[in-house]
Amino acid sequence: MKTFFASDLHYGVNGQGNAAVRALATHLRSPNASRDDVLVLVGDIATDDKALRACLRLFREFPGRKLAVAGNHDVWVEGEESSWTRYRRLSAIFRAAGFHPLEDEPIVIGGTAFAGSMGWYDYSFRDEEIGMPFRAYEKKTLPGAEHPLWNDANLVRWGMSDQDVTRWQAERLERHLSALAGSDDIVLAIHHVPTKRLLFHPRCLVPRETRFANAFLGSERFAEIACLHRVALVVNGHIHMAGDARIGETRFASIGGDYRGKQLIVRDRGRLVRSMFTSEGMRPGIAFRLGA
């Protein structure tokens, strides 16, 4: 069984990115994929419900099982709608397109247990060295600036604090992973970044504004949960930068890709293979052992 991971498709944002998603979807048809394989979309799939349905239809010819989790862009809303309303609606859209919503419940396929979470952030990634007041993180706005730096401030409406959303997400993930106790091979798909080890280092080379924004990339809580439950592999999106890390026996892999180029990670027989897809098609990737 091969497992394919893609994230941050952002379908509907621009034509070049849409073409890259179509190239990726075309690649994931037979003979490159089989009925035994699994496809996991790890959030930030499309700009709105219409684009989301159109994007998911591109993968209807994938011959294996299809799974999905939501990203922060997937709960961006306008008008009077709440992010909770759209979040709940996503599960129905996923199911109608033949995708199992991993955030609703984990699933075991071919001996591998899959769990999923949007994740979220609680400012545990913040850099104390840059001396930002905590209130700035709550407002997602640099001191003295007129507008928020991070668009979640304008387009996400949970009706609760980021810390409360993170706590809720983490508690649900703990329940799901507890239900998988005894599984020898657990894979976790999480949209946000589960550990600061996947961020760019050394931090002193990162601009101050970016170091401020890094507080909205994820939470260390999810790495702690993954390691506690002996997850073998955690795959995330969101950061638009490929990366790898290890904590104990748990391997972490950030998918990468951006608004124009889309990356694919393939887990196959103890190794991960990365490839890039652009509007011109597939660029061959690199492979590395899971134990490396």
Side-chain angles (χ1 to χ4, degrees):
M1 182 181 80
K2 296 193 295 292
T3 307
F4 300 87
F5 300 92
S7 182
D8 297 275
L9 301 182
H10 294 291
Y11 197 73
V13 170
N14 63 64
Q16 193 172 357
N18 290 352
V21 175
R22 290 193 291 270
L24 171 63
T26 298
H27 174 77
L28 290 175
R29 301 170 183 170
S30 298
N32 292 317
S34 75
R35 293 178 60 186
D36 296 326
D37 296 338
V38 178
L39 168 64
V40 189
L41 298 185
V42 195
D44 279 5
I45 299 170
T47 54
D48 54 34
D49 289 356
K50 181 179 179 181
L52 175 59
R53 292 186 178 96
C55 183
L56 297 177
R57 281 197 299 273
L58 295 175
F59 298 94
R60 62 184 177 274
E61 293 185 35
F62 178 78
R65 299 291 297 274
K66 295 178 288 189
L67 318 175
V69 299
N72 61 313
H73 283 232
D74 298 316
V75 293
W76 280 9
V77 293
E78 297 180 346
E80 298 300 318
E81 186 176 29
S82 74
S83 293
W84 284 112
T85 300
R86 184 153 197 247
Y87 186 62
R88 290 191 293 267
R89 189 165 67 248
L90 291 173
S91 291
I93 294 174
F94 288 155
R95 291 186 188 278
F99 282 78
H100 175 82
L102 274 177
E103 292 175 272
D104 285 359
E105 58 182 344
I107 189 171
V108 179
I109 304 172
T112 296
F114 293 89
S117 177
M118 178 190 291
W120 206 250
Y121 45 86
D122 55 5
Y123 321 143
S124 57
F125 283 10
R126 67 184 184 276
D127 279 338
E128 300 288 356
E129 294 178 3
I130 62 176
M132 292 290 178
F134 194 79
R135 181 60 177 162
Y137 293 106
E138 292 180 318
K139 297 175 67 176
K140 302 177 179 63
T141 304
L142 287 163
E146 294 184 10
H147 304 288
L149 180 67
W150 200 252
N151 253 338
D152 285 355
N154 301 314
L155 298 172
V156 174
R157 289 193 288 273
W158 290 118
M160 63 175 68
S161 70
D162 291 321
Q163 294 95 324
D164 286 340
V165 176
T166 301
R167 187 178 303 110
W168 175 76
Q169 294 270 6
E171 289 173 353
R172 184 168 65 164
L173 178 59
E174 288 231 62
R175 291 194 299 271
H176 288 178
L177 290 176
S178 294
L180 299 174
S183 298
D184 294 328
D185 185 34
I186 302 177
V187 172
L188 171 59
I190 177 170
H191 177 68
H192 286 81
V193 184
T195 173
K196 288 191 288 187
R197 298 189 188 200
L198 290 167
L199 303 184
F200 181 86
H201 290 87
R203 304 298 296 158
C204 61
L205 298 180
V206 179
R208 185 170 180 266
E209 183 176 287
T210 302
R211 294 174 73 177
F212 173 72
N214 282 170
F216 316 120
L217 294 183
S219 168
E220 290 289 347
R221 178 67 181 131
F222 295 100
E224 294 169 2
I225 293 171
C227 292
L228 177 66
H229 290 272
R230 306 186 68 169
V231 172
L233 174 66
V234 182
V235 179
N236 70 273
H238 191 53
I239 199 173
H240 293 192
M241 181 179 75
D244 302 282
R246 176 178 289 281
I247 302 176
E249 296 302 313
T250 300
R251 186 69 185 251
F252 296 83
S254 179
I255 297 173
D258 53 30
Y259 289 103
R260 289 177 171 78
K262 311 302 175 182
Q263 284 208 10
L264 179 72
I265 289 181
V266 185
R267 186 194 197 214
D268 182 19
R269 300 175 187 176
R271 67 175 186 166
L272 299 183
V273 180
R274 295 183 181 272
S275 299
M276 172 67 81
F277 291 80
T278 68
S279 57
E280 299 176 352
M282 177 182 177
R283 295 179 182 174
I286 60 172
F288 54 94
R289 301 292 300 180
L290 276 172

